[in-house]
Amino acid sequence: MTADDSYGRLDDDDYPAYTMGRAAETLGTTPAFLRALGEHRLITPLRSEGGHRRYSRYQLRIAARARELVDQGTPIEAACRIIVLQDQLEEAQRINAEYRRATETAHSSAVA
């Protein structure tokens, strides 16, 4: 990958552009907090060729949600589970809405 390719990927939410130190600094937390999120399988950082953890902006948004819950007194394990469940609920609601639209469209076509 050339330098020009790397710069183009910086707009990609899934590109692992942040080192652990930079990610922790951005979130106002510690590297240990990020490691704990990985241990609880909330986020799984990619690894550089040297084996260092690298985080994407998408992963930082998830980590920020966890940090907010932990700052409010929620144990980290529970915070991770809450976020997973919230995301699963959101996905289920999205799928249900798609099914409802498809059903309404099919029903409208059958009536017409």
Side-chain angles (χ1 to χ4, degrees):
M1 179 182 303
T2 65
D4 288 337
D5 293 338
S6 295
Y7 291 128
R9 305 242 6 230
L10 292 176
D11 289 335
D12 181 353
D13 265 0
D14 295 319
Y15 182 67
Y18 295 86
T19 62
M20 178 177 275
R22 182 69 178 126
E25 179 182 317
T26 300
L27 294 170
T29 190
T30 64
F33 178 78
L34 292 171
R35 282 191 295 276
L37 295 181
E39 289 168 11
H40 292 293
R41 297 190 175 138
L42 181 62
I43 56 176
T44 303
L46 293 173
R47 298 283 182 153
S48 68
E49 289 181 20
H52 300 282
R53 291 174 178 89
R54 306 282 295 191
Y55 297 89
S56 68
R57 287 189 301 193
Y58 174 73
Q59 290 172 323
L60 293 186
R61 283 195 300 273
I62 293 170
R65 289 169 59 195
R67 180 171 184 245
E68 186 176 317
L69 288 169
V70 169
D71 286 350
Q72 294 171 3
T74 306
I76 194 165
E77 197 170 332
C80 291
R81 186 70 181 138
I82 288 168
I83 292 168
V84 167
L85 291 170
Q86 286 173 335
D87 289 351
Q88 288 173 345
L89 175 60
E90 184 179 314
E91 178 67 8
Q93 289 172 330
R94 184 191 62 75
I95 290 168
N96 285 340
E98 286 177 14
Y99 284 145
R100 263 189 249 108
R101 282 191 297 273
T103 302
E104 289 169 1
T105 302
H107 180 69
S108 297
S109 298
V111 173

